[in-house]
Amino acid sequence: MTILQELVRFSETIDLPAQSYAESVVYYEITLNIDGSFKRIRSLETPVQDREGNPKKPRIGKKLSCPHIRRNAIQAKLITDTAEYIFGMGNKAQAYLKLLENCYQFTQEPAVQAILIFLESSPLKIIPGLKEIEAKQVITFRINEMENLVHNLRPVQKFWAHYVDEITGGDRPKMQCLATGKIASVTTKFALPIKGVPGTTTQGGSLISAYSSSCSSYKLSGALVSPISAIADEQFSQALNYLLREDRHHLTIGNITYAFWSDSGKIDSNFFESPDDPSVKDYLNFVNQTDTTLNPEWQVHILALTGNSGRLVVRDWMEIKELDFAKNYQTWLTNQEIIGWNNIEERGHLNIWQLARSTVRDSKEMLPRTINAFFRNAVYEESLPISLIQNVCHQNRTERDVNYFRAVVLNQFMDNQKKREIMITTQEKIAFEYGRLLAVYAQLQRQAQHKKIALPNTNAMKYYASVGYSPVMMSHRLASAATNHMTALARHPNKKLLPLFLGKVSEIKAKIAELSQKSKIPTFFSPECQAEFDLGFWQEIQYTRQAVKEIELANEDNLIPISMQHNYTAISQEVN
């Protein structure tokens, strides 16, 4: 289905504001008695908490669902409007009073009559503080001892829907609605702006905009280029505003916002913002049950948006069956559990922002297409683009190191390649072994010098950038330096370190020699080879670090660490 069709369908499953109502920030609430006499006025505030849940200074104003209409000229809004319409002078105040009178004639609602009586009593002269209210600040009304605000009374809502339809529907032609497929009166100007997308104005933006002459098509212009019925227009606009208003239904990374919804109602922003959240674990456990009742036809919908002034730009639209999404998502999490991940309580799974952030020097450099690539990787198991992998490898060479975040990205890329049945070439295998060898050389120097040198300052790491592009230097300076470090390591008090490093160097060199018989050692590494080199380096750093730690923890009975037992005999023979 199309975006609009799914939004309209979603709107039927949630509680939406009344017709022609939209959210607005209201600053003051005036309470009246039923006879129209003044009771009190209070300013409205929105509670604010810091990241730890502690209360902060409240924000002035409160978002409420209020009567709404687009106005390019003098056009009053019912009951709840700005101070310049309610208490002002001239045409705006007259338009507000006339609308209020029409509402009372239509509804005969005593609460509306009370507001009329109050305004006729010249409240600015007798109530202190009203003159201090700014002209653009919105004011609403309540009747004392009534639960609802006046604009939320059902007769008032019916009048407003009828009024808006009457003044906006006179020139509506009948056409086939793109969202419902039915012949209906279509809107000539979309009713509600979409708020909450970075890059749009404070008034919001439009999902469909075709108001310039260049957008004319088949002699149709404006909203008629994409005919949407007035009802469907309000439904999809209210539904999208709901998604962008509710924290669990949207996630903003950089300047791109993702809106989520699913037929089961269980997929939310936690899946991509907090993968280790209990709700995510409960959902995956539920899906993995053999007697799960998840409907095989249920789907997950993800809409990616950016803003450009008054327009919304659709960056991506993802639809997938929920069972397929659950399977792909679990694979996405599993691909993060590489060596070095170890304890989930310490490390945890990475979210989309952390993965995308690892590809650039600064978070401001993140592009929408980069963030989108990681989303599609998690949702569809789509392979990450090679240009993104080149950025990751470039970061590794710039920093002369591979961190966990970038190692995860590289591992996801290589796993996707295997899923696409793209075989790892011999040259890529050679690059992987060279990455391992560099890691061993770096750890070797550090141990030979009794850990007096930090890993980034070793000779091997100083050459990481050049060796990561070409393995030529590996067989010259680094190999020569490694021989000297082996000699120094032989004098180390811990006699188990030398056989460990001798064994690793001989094993890796033997693999490189074997692979070089099948394919020539490349002079320069391709992007795929660079990725394998970095992965080999990361994995070997972790394995060697773990093996050294086990040796240091071994007791004086010369116990052989588990990580060494499989090749200890061969190593001992070589040393002897």
Side-chain angles (χ1 to χ4, degrees):
M1 286 190 174
T2 65
I3 299 172
L4 298 182
Q5 287 173 327
E6 288 297 344
L7 284 171
V8 168
R9 194 164 70 90
F10 175 68
S11 72
E12 298 168 354
T13 66
I14 57 177
D15 293 328
L16 293 177
Q19 186 177 344
S20 298
Y21 275 53
E23 268 199 348
S24 181
V25 178
V26 181
Y27 293 90
Y28 293 94
E29 178 186 289
I30 296 177
T31 301
L32 307 176
N33 294 313
I34 194 65
D35 61 359
S37 59
F38 176 77
K39 177 74 174 178
R40 62 177 172 270
I41 181 172
R42 69 184 182 99
S43 60
L44 300 181
E45 297 177 337
T46 301
V48 179
Q49 295 180 335
D50 60 20
R51 293 182 178 180
E52 298 177 355
N54 301 317
K56 295 173 62 179
K57 183 180 179 180
R59 186 167 56 248
I60 299 174
K62 185 177 182 179
K63 286 186 177 181
L64 298 175
S65 177
C66 309
H68 173 79
I69 189 172
R70 283 181 179 268
R71 52 187 179 194
N72 296 322
I74 295 176
Q75 173 61 64
K77 295 180 182 179
L78 184 62
I79 309 294
T80 302
D81 207 339
T82 59
E84 62 181 342
Y85 272 87
I86 299 175
F87 298 120
M89 305 292 291
N91 294 337
K92 291 183 177 179
Q94 291 176 8
Y96 181 83
L97 282 173
K98 184 177 179 180
L99 178 61
L100 209 57
E101 290 169 356
N102 291 341
C103 178
Y104 177 64
Q105 291 175 3
F106 183 90
T107 63
Q108 293 297 303
E109 179 60 52
V112 178
Q113 186 183 30
I115 299 174
L116 281 169
I117 295 172
F118 168 72
L119 294 176
E120 290 170 357
S121 66
S122 301
L124 288 178
K125 297 179 180 179
I126 59 177
I127 300 173
L130 289 184
K131 290 183 178 180
E132 277 69 42
I133 299 176
E134 295 179 14
K136 297 297 182 182
Q137 289 184 321
V138 179
I139 303 169
T140 191
F141 288 91
R142 180 188 296 276
I143 301 301
N144 190 32
E145 298 182 353
M146 274 192 181
E147 182 180 354
N148 288 329
L149 294 168
V150 177
H151 71 239
N152 282 336
L153 297 175
R154 188 59 185 153
V156 173
Q157 291 177 339
K158 286 184 177 180
F159 166 77
W160 181 246
H162 174 78
Y163 172 80
V164 172
D165 187 66
E166 191 174 66
I167 65 172
T168 60
D171 57 347
R172 289 177 185 165
K174 285 194 172 183
M175 301 174 69
Q176 186 177 23
C177 173
L178 291 179
T180 63
K182 299 177 181 178
I183 302 297
S185 296
V186 297
T187 185
T188 54
K189 192 162 188 178
F190 298 108
L192 299 175
I194 310 300
K195 298 181 179 180
V197 178
T200 56
T201 63
T202 54
Q203 288 78 25
S206 177
L207 187 61
I208 304 173
S209 56
Y211 298 120
S212 63
S213 58
S214 61
C215 297
S216 298
S217 176
Y218 294 97
K219 297 184 179 180
L220 297 175
S221 61
L224 299 182
V225 173
S226 302
I228 307 291
S229 68
I231 295 175
D233 169 29
E234 183 149 337
Q235 282 180 312
F236 84 72
S237 299
Q238 293 280 22
L240 188 50
N241 274 318
Y242 170 86
L243 293 170
L244 297 174
R245 185 170 64 246
E246 297 293 322
D247 289 341
R248 66 182 295 267
H249 280 297
H250 76 275
L251 175 64
T252 298
I253 304 177
N255 65 344
I256 185 167
T257 296
Y258 291 85
F260 313 90
W261 71 101
S262 63
D263 293 334
S264 70
K266 296 181 181 294
I267 307 300
D268 57 27
S269 60
N270 280 332
F271 280 76
F272 304 98
E273 187 175 28
S274 306
D276 293 320
D277 188 86
S279 63
V280 177
K281 294 181 180 179
D282 292 342
Y283 174 81
L284 295 177
N285 290 335
F286 168 74
V287 172
N288 290 331
Q289 293 174 0
T290 54
D291 58 344
T292 180
T293 57
L294 199 66
N295 190 323
E297 297 304 316
W298 281 351
Q299 288 193 313
V300 177
H301 312 282
I302 303 175
L303 177 61
L305 299 168
T306 56
N308 183 7
S309 187
R311 297 187 300 114
L312 298 183
V313 180
V314 177
R315 290 288 181 174
D316 203 357
W317 168 239
M318 291 171 259
E319 278 187 306
I320 185 173
K321 289 188 175 179
E322 203 158 331
L323 286 173
D324 293 335
F325 167 79
K327 178 177 70 70
N328 295 344
Y329 184 81
Q330 285 179 311
T331 301
W332 182 68
L333 293 182
T334 302
N335 287 344
Q336 296 190 24
E337 298 169 12
I338 61 176
I339 180 68
W341 182 75
N342 294 331
N343 197 331
I344 188 170
E345 283 75 23
E346 295 178 7
R347 179 83 72 173
H349 294 99
L350 303 180
N351 59 36
I352 294 290
W353 185 90
Q354 290 171 313
L355 292 170
R357 173 67 181 85
S358 70
T359 65
V360 291
R361 292 176 301 173
D362 189 275
S363 58
K364 295 178 181 178
E365 298 176 3
M366 285 194 296
L367 299 175
R369 64 171 178 264
T370 299
I371 301 167
N372 218 47
F374 282 106
F375 260 97
R376 297 189 75 86
N377 179 249
V379 174
Y380 292 125
E381 280 194 275
E382 280 190 11
S383 181
L384 297 170
I386 192 63
S387 59
L388 190 149
I389 299 303
Q390 286 178 299
N391 289 342
V392 172
C393 293
H394 179 72
Q395 283 294 107
N396 290 335
R397 278 139 195 76
T398 301
E399 298 180 14
R400 296 187 306 181
D401 194 12
V402 182
N403 63 23
Y404 169 73
F405 303 93
R406 294 195 289 270
V408 166
V409 174
L410 296 175
N411 190 66
Q412 287 177 327
F413 172 74
M414 300 312 301
D415 184 79
N416 295 146
Q417 295 291 87
K418 294 174 187 176
K419 291 283 177 63
R420 294 166 60 195
E421 298 183 355
I422 298 177
M423 300 298 294
I424 298 178
T425 64
T426 303
Q427 290 194 344
E428 290 170 9
K429 293 178 181 178
I430 291 173
F432 182 85
E433 296 302 328
Y434 271 117
R436 289 184 61 203
L437 188 57
L438 185 69
V440 172
Y441 283 165
Q443 288 282 23
L444 171 61
Q445 180 180 354
R446 190 161 184 264
Q447 295 301 322
Q449 297 181 4
H450 301 271
K451 298 185 180 179
K452 292 180 180 179
I453 184 172
L455 189 67
N457 294 330
T458 59
N459 293 333
M461 296 306 294
K462 290 178 180 178
Y463 288 108
Y464 191 97
S466 54
V467 172
Y469 283 119
S470 171
V472 175
M473 296 189 64
M474 188 75 77
S475 57
H476 297 91
R477 294 185 185 179
L478 293 180
S480 176
T483 303
N484 297 331
H485 298 323
M486 288 288 188
T487 304
L489 195 61
R491 297 189 293 270
H492 197 283
N494 194 329
K495 299 304 180 184
K496 294 178 182 176
L497 289 174
L498 181 61
L500 170 68
F501 283 97
L502 277 174
K504 283 189 172 292
V505 171
S506 61
E507 175 222 340
I508 295 171
K509 285 186 174 180
K511 285 188 176 180
I512 293 175
E514 179 185 346
L515 291 169
S516 63
Q517 294 178 0
K518 301 177 182 178
S519 177
K520 183 181 178 181
I521 296 177
T523 305
F524 297 99
F525 286 146
S526 67
E528 291 83 359
C529 287
Q530 293 176 36
E532 286 287 353
F533 178 92
D534 293 345
L535 267 181
F537 175 85
W538 167 265
Q539 291 186 16
E540 194 56 48
I541 281 287
Q542 304 306 315
Y543 283 128
T544 305
R545 185 176 293 157
Q546 181 179 342
V548 169
K549 186 177 181 179
E550 289 178 5
I551 288 175
E552 292 172 345
L553 293 176
N555 59 31
E556 296 179 357
D557 295 332
N558 293 324
L559 293 177
I560 301 173
I562 295 175
S563 60
M564 293 176 57
Q565 288 177 1
H566 66 283
N567 63 350
Y568 186 75
T569 303
I571 294 171
S572 300
Q573 291 173 355
E574 183 174 344
V575 173
N576 294 333

